[in-house]
Amino acid sequence: MPQRPSPTPPSVQPDTTLPAQARLPINRCNLPAVILGSLTFQSHPQHLEIDGVRSFYADLFQALHVLDTPQQRAQKFQDYMTVKFRLSAPEDAGAAQGRGRTKADYRQMLRGWFFDADGREAAVLKSWVESRFGLLTRYHKGAIHDRAEPHFALFLQDRASGLHNTNALETQMDVLHAFCQFELAQRFAGLPHLTLYRGVNRLDAFEVLSKSDRHHQVMLFNNINSFTANRDTAGEFGDHILTVQVPVSKIVFFSGLLDGLLKGEDEYIVLGGVYAVETSTY
């Protein structure tokens, strides 16, 4: 179970904004990237909503409101997605049978991310975050600080391969995000942050914007990242533990939202940007 957050250290200045090279000027949600990716947003989070999703799929959320348990809501969501996006019969949506990735759906995207955060499905997720939230990909098989770098070309290649001959994958992720936020509101009503952890072997692999002391830093994360609610689990992935107060509104998916997905590591998939981070040794 995620821990309630501790206050941001007073020595960290809450005015570090998202650098221009890490954001797009426009996006498809209710706040621009320069705000939702900033340190100020981490300290004072607001609701995030992709434009039009809750209204266009209002019938789903009306149905969810009358269900009492997470299990009932998860089943309703999955049934709705299967019917709405013709997941059991992709040819009905115009996908060419026997070609490309006609069976690829939101569940496969999440499984692909779980097994390889630099793989084809991960590239689709990173591209989705760019489009919807305006947070640019900073890492895919290597750092992407300049769009002329070879790693950027690899990212584009994986993205194209991941989206080819699929049925509205990014729109499926839109609805999943809205469902995740709906469910988080049921389980953590009124709670603005969760304390999450990430285990790493090298702190110098991260973009550090500022330091207040050896254990408190301001970092720029990739546009989408994995964390865990279990500190011991984080310790299995590296000797250094990053402890972050993550705004609930920046959680895209979490272990336990849907049966059979991301179960093993109590994983949370989180939007990136600028974060105040506490570092420690496991």
Side-chain angles (χ1 to χ4, degrees), residues 30-31 41 44-48 247 249:
N30 59 316
L31 291 175
F41 187 90
H44 306 284
Q46 304 296 316
H47 174 67
L48 290 179
S249 59

Side-chain angles (χ1 to χ4, degrees), residues 134-240:
L135 302 175
L136 288 174
T137 303
R138 304 292 292 167
Y139 191 97
H140 186 78
K141 298 180 178 176
I144 302 176
H145 296 153
D146 185 332
R147 302 247 143 178
E149 290 178 349
H151 291 126
F152 180 62
L154 293 174
F155 165 64
L156 294 181
Q157 180 179 343
D158 282 347
R159 179 183 70 180
S161 175
L163 288 171
H164 174 65
N165 200 35
T166 59
N167 178 26
L169 269 182
E170 292 183 314
T171 304
Q172 292 181 40
M173 289 304 303
D174 292 346
V175 185
L176 176 66
H177 171 265
F179 172 62
C180 177
Q181 286 296 305
F182 175 90
E183 189 62 31
L184 286 166
Q186 311 310 306
R187 302 191 193 190
F188 303 107
L191 189 64
H193 299 85
L194 297 180
T195 301
L196 301 179
Y197 309 92
R198 180 167 177 171
V200 299
N201 286 316
R202 293 177 51 208
L203 291 176
D204 60 3
F206 290 83
E207 295 184 71
V208 177
L209 302 182
S210 65
K211 294 182 180 182
S212 55
D213 58 56
R214 60 178 299 201
H215 294 299
H216 296 96
Q217 305 177 18
V218 174
M219 294 182 177
L220 173 59
F221 286 126
N222 202 10
N223 64 348
I224 188 167
N225 311 267
S226 285
F227 287 86
T228 176
N230 188 312
R231 192 178 188 279
D232 290 335
T233 298
E236 297 173 5
F237 291 86
D239 296 330
H240 301 282

Side-chain angles (χ1 to χ4, degrees), residues 34-55:
V34 68
I35 293 177
L36 70 90
S38 69
L39 192 61
T40 300
F41 187 90
Q42 183 192 10
S43 301
H44 306 284
Q46 304 296 316
H47 174 67
L48 290 179
E49 185 173 325
I50 298 172
D51 295 341
V53 174
R54 288 294 292 263
S55 58

Side-chain angles (χ1 to χ4, degrees), residues 57-87:
Y57 300 96
D59 55 336
L60 169 63
F61 295 98
Q62 289 168 1
L64 292 172
H65 269 295
V66 302
L67 300 176
D68 296 326
T69 69
Q71 293 76 20
Q72 290 174 323
R73 294 190 291 268
Q75 188 61 55
K76 180 64 179 179
F77 169 78
Q78 292 176 98
D79 291 345
Y80 181 92
M81 295 291 282
T82 297
V83 173
K84 194 74 172 181
F85 293 97
R86 305 301 297 156
L87 300 184

